[in-house]
Each structure stands twice: as structure tokens, then as C-alpha cells.
Amino acid sequence: KEKIVRYNGAEYFNTSRVKPITPRDGKGKWGDGFPFIAEWLEHMLGKTQLKHELAWLSYAYVNAYAGDPKRGHAHFLVGPPNCGKTLYNTVLLGGLFGGHVKASEYLVGKTTFNDYLFESGLWTVDDEAPTAGVGQHTSFTAKIKEFVANEEFVVSGKFRKSGRVSWKGRLSISLNNDPISMRLLPDLNMSICDKVVVFMCRSGFKFSADVRDKVDKELSSFAGYLMKHKIPKNLRSSRFGVKEYMDSEVSKLAAVDS
């Protein structure tokens, strides 16, 4: 939050206007002030997955809001069309973290320029076409690993000198659960399982035409819940704050596809 940022022996004027949403003070009770969001997430993720999701999300949001972001797992939402994956990425997560930026072109190798990505605290990829070949998929997986493990990145812009930047945002990728779309999952054999949280989303929730307005109205109350949420001891980890997670159904589908 400082106006002057010191990095690698130099001083920079902080011009960023990206800020996580301001939380609304509440009792810290699930669903208090955000009944629609609570009902939606319970349906889409189920109780077991929801515990892991709230652990991942609260750790990311609380530290970001404090102005001291921490490294964290890459986040994957797998499920059938129209189950709310993209809405969750762009409206709910995007709203919490002060906006989002589409990172698909860089991650799947369509461009090497990435300077615009570091102006946002949340990168999203929504139902992007999977990488075509083995080489591209290996490169995609390597970028996911780099994203999670590092906090210093090479920044490259068109007609601009490359440089380095410290960045500890989040990446959330949504994909359908058909065999072709599942190829957008990183190679789970490349020692990456400890760097991801992967959830299976359930369809059938009925969304109304004003769903975005509902989420927007409840988001600050949901943020207030995240501020008071206590991560269970069995879900904590010293490296990335919370433990990795892989839904068993997604794991089976990925194994069949490979």
C-alpha cells in the first residue's frame, strides 16, 4: 500500500489503483449478508470441496487486502457448461481482487508479451482451447509451475525493454469436463500436484437474469466473511498457506485422457 516502493535497490512511485474490495463487517457467519453466494457455492462445489475453496480464497484475499500478498496455488474449476465457472472467475473472484485480466494467450504460447498481466492481481483463463501438441502442453505446465513457485518474473512488452517485477497474484482457470477440454489441465506427472487446487463443479443451479447484480450486492459481505474465516488446521500449509487439493473425479478423468 506504500506510495514509494523499494525493489532491487531502486525506488519506484506506486501508481497502481488496483485494490481488493473493502469487506463489510459482519458476524462471520456463513451466508450472513450473502445468501445467494452461499447457496450457489454449496451447490456448485459441495461441502467437502467448499472447505478447501474457502481456505484457498480466504488466505489469498486476507493477505491481498492487507497489502501483503502471499504466493498461492493455481486454481482450476472443471465442470459442464453453464454451471457457473466463468461467472465465478470473472464476477466473484474478479470483484474480490479488484478486477481480473485474461491470461490465456500468454499461458498457451500465443504471445510472449506479458507486461499487461502484471497490472492485475488476478489472471483468468476461461474455457480456452487446449494446447495443440506435447511441446506446447509441457510449456504450459512449466508456466503454471513458475507462476506458483516464483515471486519474481521477467516482464516483456512490445517495443519495450524487458525487466523484472515482484508479483504474488492468483491464477484461476476454468474448463469443461469433456475429453478435449480436459487437456487444458497441466501435466500432472510434472511434479505440479503440490502447486494446484482442482475442483469439480456441479451443474443444475438455476441462475436468474440478474445474477451479476446479486453477486455484486453480496460481495462485500462475502469478503467480510473471508476476513474472519479460520482455516482449519488440517488444511494449513507453511509453503503456500493452505494445502493442495485434487478432486478424485477430475484425477480419474485426467488419467483416462492421458
Side-chain angles (χ1 to χ4, degrees):
K1 294 184 178 183
E2 293 81 3
K3 290 295 182 183
I4 302 298
V5 179
R6 293 170 177 82
Y7 179 64
N8 280 348
E11 291 186 342
Y12 300 89
F13 182 60
N14 183 4
T15 60
S16 176
R17 296 183 179 180
V18 175
K19 295 181 179 179
I21 192 173
T22 300
R24 181 178 299 165
D25 190 32
K27 299 178 180 179
K29 183 179 179 182
W30 176 247
D32 182 24
F34 55 98
F36 174 79
I37 291 177
E39 183 183 3
W40 170 31
L41 297 189
E42 286 175 358
H43 178 92
M44 185 173 72
L45 297 174
K47 291 184 178 180
T48 299
Q49 290 193 128
L50 185 56
K51 292 178 181 178
H52 288 270
E53 173 65 13
L54 291 176
W56 175 84
L57 184 53
S58 63
Y59 182 76
Y61 172 75
V62 168
N63 288 298
Y65 184 72
D68 186 25
K70 308 293 185 183
R71 291 182 301 161
H73 301 85
H75 180 261
F76 289 82
L77 296 172
V78 182
N82 303 317
C83 68
K85 306 185 301 296
T86 299
L87 180 71
Y88 187 85
N89 264 359
T90 59
V91 179
L92 193 146
L93 292 186
L96 282 175
F97 292 106
H100 70 101
V101 61
K102 186 178 179 181
S104 52
E105 291 185 347
Y106 171 68
L107 290 175
V108 301
K110 293 181 180 179
T111 181
T112 58
F113 302 126
N114 62 0
D115 56 337
Y116 64 97
L117 295 174
F118 296 97
E119 297 176 5
S120 175
L122 174 67
W123 298 0
T124 57
V125 178
D126 291 298
D127 299 329
E128 178 70 20
T131 52
V134 175
Q136 284 183 309
H137 193 241
T138 300
S139 175
F140 171 74
T141 302
K143 286 180 179 177
I144 299 296
K145 291 177 65 176
E146 177 192 23
F147 167 88
V148 176
N150 297 343
E151 58 185 66
E152 185 177 88
F153 299 86
V154 175
V155 178
S156 177
K158 195 171 185 179
F159 306 123
R160 298 177 66 182
K161 183 180 178 181
S162 62
R164 290 184 175 274
V165 66
S166 177
W167 187 86
K168 303 173 198 172
R170 288 296 184 273
L171 166 65
S172 186
I173 298 176
S174 71
L175 58 147
N176 292 334
N177 58 346
D178 60 87
I180 295 178
S181 299
M182 288 287 289
R183 296 174 188 169
L184 193 59
L185 281 174
D187 186 350
L188 300 179
N189 295 319
M190 288 181 61
S191 62
I192 198 174
C193 289
D194 63 329
K195 297 177 179 65
V196 298
V197 287
V198 184
F199 301 94
M200 174 61 80
C201 301
R202 186 173 61 175
S203 62
F205 190 82
K206 294 183 179 180
F207 295 102
S208 58
D210 61 345
V211 59
R212 292 174 179 266
D213 291 335
K214 288 182 178 179
V215 174
D216 287 340
K217 290 178 181 178
E218 296 184 358
L219 205 51
S220 59
S221 294
F222 182 53
Y225 171 83
L226 294 175
M227 290 293 292
K228 295 184 177 182
H229 179 67
K230 294 183 178 180
I231 301 173
K233 288 185 177 180
N234 65 318
L235 299 185
R236 298 177 191 170
S237 172
S238 58
R239 188 179 185 190
F240 299 124
V242 298
K243 292 183 178 179
E244 68 274 12
Y245 178 78
M246 170 67 71
D247 173 72
S248 58
E249 185 178 351
V250 175
S251 182
K252 290 178 182 177
L253 290 172
V256 170
D257 181 62
S258 61

